[in-house]
Amino acid sequence: MDLDWKNLGFDIIKTDYNVRCVFQDGKWGELEVSSDQYLPIHIGATCLHYGQESFEGLKAFTGADGRIRIFRHEENARRMIRSAKGILLAEVPVELFMEAVEKVVLLNKKYIPPYGLGASLYIRPLLIGTGPEVGVRPAKEFTFLVFAMPVGPYFKEGFKPLDIMICRDHDRAAPLGTGHLKVGGNYAASMASISEAHQKGFATAMYLDAKEKKYIDECGPANFFGIKDNTYITPKSDSILPSITNSSLQMLAETFGMKVETRPVPVEELAEFEETGACGTAAVITPFRKVVDIDKDITYMYGDGVNPGPVILKLYETLTGIQNGDIEDTFGWTKILD
Ligand SMILES: *Cc1c(COP(=O)(O)O)cnc(C)c1O
C-alpha cells in the first residue's frame, strides 16, 4: 500500500470493496460484494427526494498484537433499527448488519491503518429508500450498503482543546422531530449553522433545546458532556442522538469512581464545569477551550487553554486503549476478527 498512513485526514478514500443488499417484495436479498463506488439509482428514489435515509459510523483498529478489533458494532446495528422504525425504512436485522460490517473490514484488510498512529478504518453503513415514489410515502424498495476507508485522527491538530460557539439562531432538530435518529435530514439542517461557526473561527456550533433555548442539546454532530465535582454530566433530551461513545465514556467514568448524571443541562452551568467536551466516533473526544455565547457576550473558559483536562485525558486514553487492545476490554465491547 502506498498510503501515507501518518497523514490521513477524514476524507473519502477509495478502498477495494463495499457490500450491498436490496430489500424487495418484503424481504432482504443476498449480501453482494461490489468494487464499484457508484450506485445506479432510480431518479424517483425516496432517499433523493424526501431524505428517506439513515447512516451509521463506526471504526475498526489494528492492535499492537496485529489483530483487528471492531468497536461495539452491535450497538450501531440496534441504533439503525431505531432509525429505520422512525422514518419507515425496512429494518436491517442485527445479524445482517454485523455480517456486512465484518465482511467489509476483512475484504479491505490492507486499508486498516497500522497500530500506533491514532488512525483507523472508518466504516459507513447506509440504508436508503431506493424505490421510486413521487407522492410523500415510504419506498417499497430499500438498499443497505456498507463501505469503509482509512481515516486519521479527526482533528489534524491532534487531541487539543478547541473553541465552540453557542448557536441561538438555528436548531438542528425539533423536540418531537428526528433528532434522536441518525438520519441525513438532521445533518442537512445543521450544515448552515456549522459552516457559520467555522467562518467565525469556531470548531463547531453548540445547539440549545429548540423549545426554550435554556438547555444544552448537541455540539455539531456530537454529544456534549461536562465534568464537575467528580461527576460526568451529559444532557438528557429527546432531540439528542444517543451516542455510543457517550455511553462508553459514562461506563468508564463509573469505573473511575465518578458519578454519572444524565439530565437537562442549563446553559449557565457551563460556568461551573471544570472540563467540557464533545464526543462521537469520528473524534472520540473534542475537549473545549472556550465556549462563546456571542449573543449574551459571555465566554466560558476551561483548563490552561493548551492541554485537555485530566479527566478528559484519562477517559480518552482509556477508551482508545480499549479500542486498539492496549487495555483489557472487560466490557465485551470489541470483537476480534481474525
Ligand atoms: C453519530 C452522532 C453522534 C455520535 O454518536 P457515536 O455513536 O458516538 O458515533 C452524536 N450526535 C449525532 C447527531 C450523531 O449523528
Side-chain angles (χ1 to χ4, degrees):
M1 291 298 302
D2 54 3
L3 272 170
D4 182 3
W5 297 116
K6 287 197 178 69
N7 291 302
L8 289 169
F10 200 83
D11 302 294
I12 296 272
I13 290 178
K14 188 182 184 312
T15 51
D16 292 343
Y17 302 104
N18 55 80
V19 298
R20 305 160 179 220
C21 192
V22 175
F23 182 93
Q24 257 173 341
D25 303 321
K27 58 178 193 307
W28 286 104
E30 292 295 308
L31 201 56
E32 281 171 24
V33 177
S34 171
S35 50
D36 194 347
Q37 289 194 98
Y38 290 84
L39 176 73
I41 195 166
H42 193 289
I43 55 176
T46 60
C47 63
L48 298 177
H49 297 258
Y50 304 126
Q52 202 187 15
E53 83 92 51
S54 164
F55 69 97
E56 277 298 332
L58 65 155
K59 286 177 174 174
F61 304 83
T62 308
D65 54 6
R67 302 174 88 185
I68 304 161
R69 286 170 177 79
I70 306 188
F71 187 69
R72 302 194 78 179
H73 58 327
E74 188 171 343
E75 293 301 316
N76 296 90
R78 297 191 189 289
R79 188 166 65 190
M80 187 171 253
I81 289 177
R82 295 200 298 273
S83 297
K85 285 189 202 294
I87 61 166
L88 305 186
L89 295 156
E91 292 168 31
V92 178
V94 171
E95 306 71 47
L96 174 60
F97 182 101
M98 290 172 68
E99 183 193 343
V101 166
E102 291 173 21
K103 200 162 186 166
V104 161
V105 171
L106 290 174
L107 285 167
N108 294 299
K109 210 168 175 173
K110 68 178 191 225
Y111 293 94
I112 310 176
Y115 169 79
L117 301 174
S120 56
L121 187 76
Y122 182 74
I123 306 155
R124 171 53 65 90
L126 181 71
L127 172 60
I128 55 181
T130 36
E133 298 290 340
V134 73
V136 181
R137 49 184 171 258
K140 293 178 194 74
E141 184 195 296
F142 299 88
T143 301
F144 170 57
L145 62 90
V146 186
F147 61 104
M149 71 212 77
V151 296
Y154 194 73
F155 295 106
K156 292 188 183 66
E157 320 80 61
F159 187 51
K160 293 230 176 71
L162 298 177
D163 299 343
I164 305 293
M165 181 190 110
I166 294 180
C167 170
R168 290 180 179 275
D169 53 0
H170 285 275
D171 293 312
R172 185 190 74 94
L176 298 174
T178 55
H180 61 302
L181 309 173
K182 207 165 177 80
V183 300
N186 298 337
Y187 277 73
S190 72
M191 281 192 184
S193 45
I194 292 178
S195 151
E196 189 188 315
H198 291 165
Q199 275 163 21
K200 291 183 173 159
F202 295 94
T204 196
M206 175 185 280
Y207 297 102
L208 305 183
D209 79 282
K211 199 168 171 187
E212 297 185 86
K213 297 272 186 238
K214 274 167 70 171
Y215 303 100
I216 299 171
D217 221 61
E218 290 220 48
C219 288
N223 281 186
F224 171 83
F225 68 94
I227 307 292
K228 70 171 184 190
D229 305 330
N230 200 34
T231 309
Y232 180 104
I233 300 162
T234 190
K236 185 181 174 71
S237 146
D238 290 340
S239 52
I240 289 179
L241 191 276
S243 152
I244 296 162
T245 312
N246 194 353
S247 97
S248 310
L249 295 176
Q250 289 171 40
M251 287 193 244
L252 291 179
E254 276 172 356
T255 66
F256 298 167
M258 297 177 69
K259 276 190 294 186
V260 173
E261 287 176 15
T262 312
R263 55 160 171 84
V265 179
V267 191
E268 301 74 48
E269 199 171 345
L270 284 170
E272 295 168 21
F273 290 123
E274 295 144 19
E275 301 175 37
T276 56
C279 60
T281 294
V284 188
I285 297 178
T286 308
F288 297 164
R289 182 172 67 164
K290 304 194 256 200
V291 179
V292 182
D293 196 336
I294 297 173
D295 301 296
K296 302 226 157 157
D297 199 19
I298 304 175
T299 298
Y300 303 96
M301 307 272 285
Y302 302 97
D304 62 4
V306 185
N307 299 299
V311 176
I312 286 185
L313 188 63
K314 190 170 168 195
L315 285 168
Y316 179 86
E317 288 185 339
T318 310
L319 184 59
T320 54
I322 291 173
Q323 288 175 330
N324 66 30
D326 285 345
I327 296 175
E328 191 197 349
D329 173 16
T330 54
F331 299 93
W333 285 340
T334 50
K335 173 152 181 187
I336 300 181
L337 276 198
D338 48 354

